[in-house]
Every structure is written in C-alpha cells, then in structure tokens.
Amino acid sequence: MAAPRTGPSAGPSVKWRLTSSFPKSLDTIYGGAEQLADRLRELTGGKFDIRVFPAGEIVPGLQAMDAVQQATVECCHTASFYYVGKDRTFAFGTTLPFGMNARQTNAWMYYGGGQQLLDEFYAGYNFISFPGGNSGTQMGGWWRKEVNTVADLKGIKMRIGGLGGAVLSELGVVPQQIAAGDIYPSLEKGTIDAAEWIGPYDDEKLGFYKVAKNYYGPGWWEPSTCLQFFVNKKEWDKLPKEYQAAFKVAAAEANVTMTAEYDHKNPTALGKLLQNGVKLKPFSKEIMDASYTAAQKIFADESAKNPAFKKVYDSYTKYAKTQRAWFAVAEMPMDVFNQAHR
Amino acid sequence: MAAPRTGPSAGPSVKWRLTSSFPKSLDTIYGGAEQLADRLRELTGGKFDIRVFPAGEIVPGLQAMDAVQQATVECCHTASFYYVGKDRTFAFGTTLPFGMNARQTNAWMYYGGGQQLLDEFYAGYNFISFPGGNSGTQMGGWWRKEVNTVADLKGIKMRIGGLGGAVLSELGVVPQQIAAGDIYPSLEKGTIDAAEWIGPYDDEKLGFYKVAKNYYGPGWWEPSTCLQFFVNKKEWDKLPKEYQAAFKVAAAEANVTMTAEYDHKNPTALGKLLQNGVKLKPFSKEIMDASYTAAQKIFADESAKNPAFKKVYDSYTKYAKTQRAWFAVAEMPMDVFNQAHR
C-alpha cells in the first residue's frame, strides 16, 4: 500500500527496480540503496518510487550490471570491479590495488574527470554511474596461519577476486572464487587458507575469527572501495529533470553517509574482535613491497594491451600522485601526530 | 527574472534568504551555499528558492549566526567556531585543535550523536544545524621568519582566532583579529609576523607568499574544518516535509563535494606556490608537542567550568579515540605506504 500523499509534489509516477549486488545481511552497503530509494520517495512525495531487491531475487549479485545494460532493471547498486572479467577497466570505478583513499577517489570522481571518463567507457554498456558509498580502506582478511615472507604465500588458497587476486597470484597465491555464505565452512575445513571480506563490522558478523585468528591489514587491494549506482542510459533520459537531480543528490548523500556509517561501526566491531582473541597483524614490508611491485607490472601489462584501461589508468595515477603530494603536507602529518598521541 | 517552470513540482513557493559568513572570493566555500540553493531550486522546480548573500550584504560575516537566531534571515552558512566568544562549545561544530579529521568528523556528526548533541546546544539559540562542507586539514599559515622552538613563538603577532589562538597564546604568541582583506598589508608592513588562512588554493589567491615565504603545516588548530548550515528552528518547522528532505540531502551533497573540491584544487595551488619559492615546512616536534599540551590544558579548564562544553567534549574525545584506534589498523598504514611509494 502506498503511503498517503501529504507533500507538494505533482510529478509523474515513476516506478523503477534496483537490483543490488549485495544481500540484506550486508546492512551498511545494502542500506545505501535503500537510503537512496527512501530519499527519492521523500523528495517526490512518493512519486519516484524505486523498489530495491537484494542479490539473487531478480538476478544474481554479480549480474547486476548486465541487468542494467539489458534494461531488465532500470538501475543497480554494485561494485564495478566485479566485472573486471569483461574488461579490467571496470576496476577504476571501485578501487585499484595501492590506489587512492576515499577522499582522493571522491575528488577524482567529482572534480578530476574520473566519473566522466568512466561514463565514456560505460557508454558501451548502456549505462551511466554515480558514486554511491565508500567503505574506506578494507582489511587484509583472515589467515589460518601467519604469513611473514613472500615464500609464505606460495600455494596459499585464498578467497579473493579481481585485480587483488591477480596480483597475489603473481606471488604464488591461488585465488579462489567463493560466495559469501561458503567462506566460513571453507576456512573451517581448511579448503582455503585465507579469505578477504570487508572490514571489522561485516567480518565480525560472519564469525571468521572463530576459524582463522590472524587478521591482517591493510587490504592493499582495496585502499578504498567505492560502490556505484548504475542507471540505464535510456531510462535516465526519460526522467524529468527534477527526478534526475533527486537521484544525483541522493546518490551523493549515500556516498558520504556510507563512509561515515562504516567509520562509525568499524571501531566497535574491532574492539569485539580483539576481545575474542583475534591476532591483528600488519602485512610485512616484504609482502607489501612485493605486492606493490607485482601490481605495477599488472597495470603496465594491461595498459600495453588495453587502450581503454590505459586511458583511465593514466588519469587515475597522475591524479593519485598529485593528491598524495598535497596530503603529505597537511592531512597526513596531522593524522600521524594525532595517532601518536591517542 | 525567475526561470520558467519546466518541472513537475507543485509545492508552495518558499523564498528564503541565506547569509554567508564568507565573501564570494572564497569561491569553494561560498560556492557550497550556492550549490545548496541551486540544488533546492532544481529539486522543487524553482519553488523552494533560497537567495544567497555574501558576508556584509545583510549582516557582517561573523554575525551570520545572530541573524539566524533573531530570524533576520531563515538560514546561514558559517563556521560555528566563529562564535566561541559567546561559548566555547561552539567550537565542536567546526573543529577542535588536534581534533578529528574530516571523515571522523562526519562519522561523529551523522552517526555518533554529534549533530544531535550540537542541536541540543543550539536549541538555546533557536536554530538547528547541518554539516555543510569540510576543507580537510588546513595549513599552519604564513610566517615571516622561521620558527623552530617554543622560544621562537614568544611575542609573535599572529592573525589567528578561536581556540587555536587561545592555545598559541599559552605559548607566548599574541593572537590578532584581522579581516581577510587586511592580512596581506599587515604581513607586508610587519604589523603582524604570521597569519593563518585556509590552505594552498585560497592562500595562493591572496598572495601571502609574496610577503612571508615560510608556509607551515599542518594547521593543528583545524585538523578538519566543518562548515555548517544553520536554520532557524521556527522557519524549519514551517517547511513542507519534502522541502526539509531536500534541504537535508542538498546539505549532505555540499558536505561531500566541498571536501572533494578542495582536495581537487589544493594540489595544483600547492605546485604553484612551490614554483614561486615558498618554503614549505613542518612545525617542529617541540612546537607540536607544546601546542598539544597547551590545548589539553585549555580543554580541561573549560570542561571544569562549562558543563555544556564538557558534555560535548566528552563525546567528541571518546569518539576520536575509538576512531583513531580503527584508523591505525587499515586506513593509516595504507596511506603511509602509498605516500612512501609516490
């Protein structure tokens, strides 16, 4: 039953479906799409009504983009890097190993031409995109055994996908594709040796600490993980201008508040994990350096053979370099000092 | 002349005035209020129409809050810490010396009860607030001479206000209140020895580097500077729910995009400054440590005599501590590693 009209809007009734790549249990991420839909109804007196479906109800989570491309649904909430199997250029919408942090990513997307470059690429897939939430730097996952050297990585079966998996594969890791619900039993049985997921809040809920005590950080394959709303271009063009503005502004709100929500939830969850005997460890310098070098090789190889990748990579890396030169002056020294005094 | 109505909205016509604490020349900050107003017109087919006035046209910049309190205007765009002369509790809406960074501030405001605590305090002044843009960590200003030790600070006349000025005053600095337009000539003549302003983008435009070559960082008195929209509570309550939602979401958008815009603009401006022979320097550990200690003393003294301050301070500092414990695990090590490899 629709809520009674109490507000002033008198726009056309527009009913859309949004397929999320995520289950409801990932409440912070899934909630970003619900927040967008709620806000759009609020802004339009219920007239622009997007129904949000969890992964699997309309299409599987990893086919959300295809559903938008084919106009099975008007829009989705996903992570572009799920589609690197089609083209590695899809990585940039979400993150890159050793890439920019959340603030730098927003700067590139909103002002540095990033979103525009991506939309040019996405035009071949019939959709446009909006940043729609960022988790910040993720964790380096749960490991049954300690790893200190690159030699320790040899033969490790790890649940990890995308470019992070490709990089680790250069170091001898055997990446595994495993759905969320199967990670815990696989870790428990020892079918896999390690698994990366998200960060303390989501990881704690899945209980990985019970079967793999070593929790590594940082998840250098996701220095910040930007989710996106993808909207079918033809459906977008049909929207009244007010509804386009409403979608855009609601996506920006979801973008900033998801980061804030994760930042709010993760510290408490981290505390719980530590109380449960989790061994928090930084990746060794040897592993970080080797991963960094392997990542650069993959980027160079891909740039040499994929002009679409090269075009976005050149913009991204140049931007990252100038961002870091500035962050080194004020933001980082401030953070470092405050950390030393906490 | 109003733009022709092309959209679907049919809400009541609401005309508000917003007084900004800032001049148009501070285009990134001033632009945050214009962006909000533009977005509200877009969302409502021009019906919710806020006219933005620069500082001085309706009231002087530092009286923006009073104008909202007295309903001279319906809303303003300001920095709450301009009003610490009335009550130091006004600091928290903007920043605290050695306080949280922009992301942590957003987490506290949106999810950590920060905005709610502030609005309880602001109720005594007849308004409610929304975060409306954050510059990130600001710079430590322009100094005619090098300062390396606390002894070097003795007698330094510096353009700095608020709690930062109070802290530096403990170390022998003589804080000066000087309007933006008077900083350059005062530095040039040597009437003052140092002046803090914002960061590379805004500082470069005012040309301070021509008369004071030493540019220090970080501006520990503003680890992140959150601007706010203040809205008179009675006027807010009169708004249709759609317009309230529109204001709230547009403020959130302005909040995230202003940070992105500053992050985008500052690196280029920093490059220009360096080309112009600016000497970029970090504050010495001695000065940072002494400033930190002086700040803690001021917070303790104020907490002892001001229950309103204590209430918010306790929430803020507890929150900062848990935020930092988490940022130390993933976000910071990632940033530090990436900085080392840029």
Side-chain angles (χ1 to χ4, degrees), chain B residues 21-254:
Chain B
S21 284
F22 312 100
K24 284 190 181 179
S25 56
L26 275 180
D27 57 341
T28 317
I29 295 184
Y30 185 81
E34 287 191 316
Q35 180 186 327
L36 173 103
D38 287 345
R39 191 58 97 191
L40 290 175
R41 280 186 290 268
E42 272 192 299
L43 289 170
T44 62
K47 290 302 193 85
F48 187 7
D49 185 18
I50 298 184
R51 192 169 162 199
V52 178
F53 294 85
E57 287 204 7
I58 300 175
V59 292
L62 301 184
Q63 290 169 31
M65 186 194 92
D66 309 74
V68 174
Q69 184 184 357
Q70 294 152 20
T72 307
V73 295
E74 291 81 6
C75 60
C76 74
H77 192 217
T78 190
S80 66
F81 73 175
Y82 289 153
Y83 312 101
V84 292
K86 296 176 196 286
D87 188 322
R88 284 185 166 176
T89 313
F90 277 108
F92 296 102
T94 307
T95 190
L96 210 66
F98 302 100
M100 291 189 275
N101 67 26
R103 262 178 58 177
Q104 295 162 347
T105 299
N106 283 339
W108 181 65
M109 290 280 191
Y110 290 131
Y111 293 94
Q115 195 177 337
Q116 193 182 330
L117 268 178
L118 294 177
D119 281 349
E120 286 171 17
F121 171 70
Y122 297 152
Y125 299 84
N126 309 329
F127 65 83
I128 61 172
S129 69
F130 302 89
N134 194 314
S135 65
T137 306
Q138 297 201 357
M139 284 297 288
W142 301 88
W143 299 64
R144 286 164 55 96
K145 289 186 191 157
E146 277 190 36
V147 283
N148 297 306
T149 64
V150 173
D152 291 343
L153 297 176
K154 194 88 183 173
I156 289 275
K157 281 175 283 185
M158 180 174 187
R159 187 265 176 199
I160 183 171
L163 289 185
V167 172
L168 280 170
S169 152
E170 296 274 323
L171 305 181
V173 168
V174 187
Q176 313 279 311
Q177 305 291 343
I178 295 177
D182 297 330
I183 301 175
Y184 185 96
S186 303
L187 265 182
E188 188 177 28
K189 286 181 214 150
T191 315
I192 56 175
D193 307 297
E196 70 92 36
W197 186 234
I198 297 178
Y201 177 72
D202 295 311
D203 292 10
E204 195 267 341
K205 283 198 295 184
L206 294 188
F208 301 137
Y209 65 89
K210 295 174 196 159
V211 289
K213 285 279 176 209
N214 303 292
Y215 195 26
Y216 278 90
W220 49 259
W221 46 88
E222 299 187 44
S224 79
T225 306
C226 183
L227 307 171
Q228 296 90 40
F229 295 105
F230 289 166
V231 181
N232 181 280
K233 184 65 167 63
K234 278 190 187 157
E235 296 300 327
W236 177 259
D237 290 341
K238 284 184 211 163
L239 285 181
K241 290 223 176 307
E242 271 89 347
Y243 289 9
Q244 287 183 346
F247 195 103
K248 197 173 168 186
V249 70
E253 181 188 38

Side-chain angles (χ1 to χ4, degrees), chain A residues 34-342:
Chain A
E34 287 191 315
Q35 180 187 328
L36 173 102
D38 288 346
R39 190 58 97 194
L40 289 175
R41 281 187 290 268
E42 272 193 299
L43 289 170
T44 62
K47 289 301 193 87
F48 188 8
D49 185 19
I50 298 186
R51 192 169 162 199
V52 179
F53 294 86
E57 287 204 7
I58 300 175
V59 292
L62 301 184
Q63 291 169 29
M65 187 194 90
D66 309 73
V68 173
Q69 185 184 356
Q70 294 151 20
T72 307
V73 294
E74 290 82 5
C75 60
C76 73
H77 192 217
T78 190
S80 66
F81 74 174
Y82 289 153
Y83 313 100
V84 291
K86 296 177 196 287
D87 189 321
R88 282 185 168 176
T89 314
F90 277 108
F92 297 102
T94 307
T95 190
L96 209 65
F98 302 100
M100 290 189 275
N101 67 26
R103 261 176 59 177
Q104 295 162 348
T105 299
N106 283 339
W108 181 65
M109 291 280 193
Y110 291 130
Y111 293 93
Q115 196 178 337
Q116 194 182 329
L117 268 178
L118 293 176
D119 281 348
E120 285 170 17
F121 171 70
Y122 296 152
Y125 299 83
N126 311 330
F127 64 83
I128 60 171
S129 69
F130 302 90
N134 195 314
S135 65
T137 306
Q138 296 201 357
M139 283 297 287
W142 300 88
W143 300 64
R144 285 165 56 97
K145 289 185 189 159
E146 278 188 35
V147 283
N148 297 306
T149 64
V150 173
D152 292 343
L153 297 177
K154 193 90 183 170
I156 289 275
K157 281 175 284 185
M158 180 173 187
R159 187 265 176 199
I160 183 171
L163 290 184
V167 172
L168 280 170
S169 155
E170 296 274 322
L171 305 181
V173 168
V174 187
Q176 313 279 312
Q177 305 290 345
I178 295 177
D182 297 329
I183 301 175
Y184 185 97
S186 304
L187 265 182
E188 188 177 30
K189 287 180 212 151
T191 314
I192 56 174
D193 306 297
E196 70 93 34
W197 187 232
I198 298 178
Y201 177 73
D202 294 311
D203 292 9
E204 195 267 340
K205 283 198 294 184
L206 293 188
F208 301 136
Y209 65 91
K210 295 174 195 159
V211 289
K213 286 279 176 208
N214 302 293
Y215 196 27
Y216 278 90
W220 48 259
W221 46 89
E222 299 187 46
S224 78
T225 306
C226 183
L227 307 170
Q228 297 89 40
F229 295 105
F230 288 166
V231 180
N232 181 280
K233 184 64 167 61
K234 279 190 188 157
E235 296 299 329
W236 177 259
D237 290 341
K238 284 186 211 162
L239 285 181
K241 289 223 176 309
E242 271 89 348
Y243 290 8
Q244 288 182 346
F247 194 103
K248 196 173 168 186
V249 70
E253 181 188 39
N255 197 35
V256 63
T257 58
M258 188 188 295
T259 304
E261 191 172 351
Y262 265 121
D263 287 341
H264 177 69
K265 289 172 168 176
N266 277 325
T268 309
L270 179 68
K272 275 196 221 171
L273 289 171
L274 292 174
Q275 280 169 7
N276 279 308
V278 164
K279 293 181 196 165
L280 200 58
K281 290 170 196 287
F283 283 121
S284 68
K285 184 170 185 315
E286 180 183 326
I287 289 177
M288 291 292 286
D289 285 344
S291 303
Y292 180 84
T293 303
Q296 306 314 308
K297 180 180 175 296
I298 284 176
F299 302 151
D301 290 352
E302 190 68 24
S303 291
K305 66 186 180 200
N306 182 346
F309 183 94
K310 183 177 189 312
K311 186 175 180 184
V312 187
Y313 180 73
D314 287 351
S315 162
Y316 186 95
T317 48
K318 188 180 166 195
Y319 205 80
K321 196 173 165 140
T322 57
Q323 284 294 304
R324 286 168 187 161
W326 159 232
F327 272 66
V329 173
E331 200 71 34
M332 284 278 307
M334 191 74 251
D335 275 340
V336 167
F337 182 89
N338 278 331
Q339 283 291 350
H341 284 72
R342 69 183 162 93

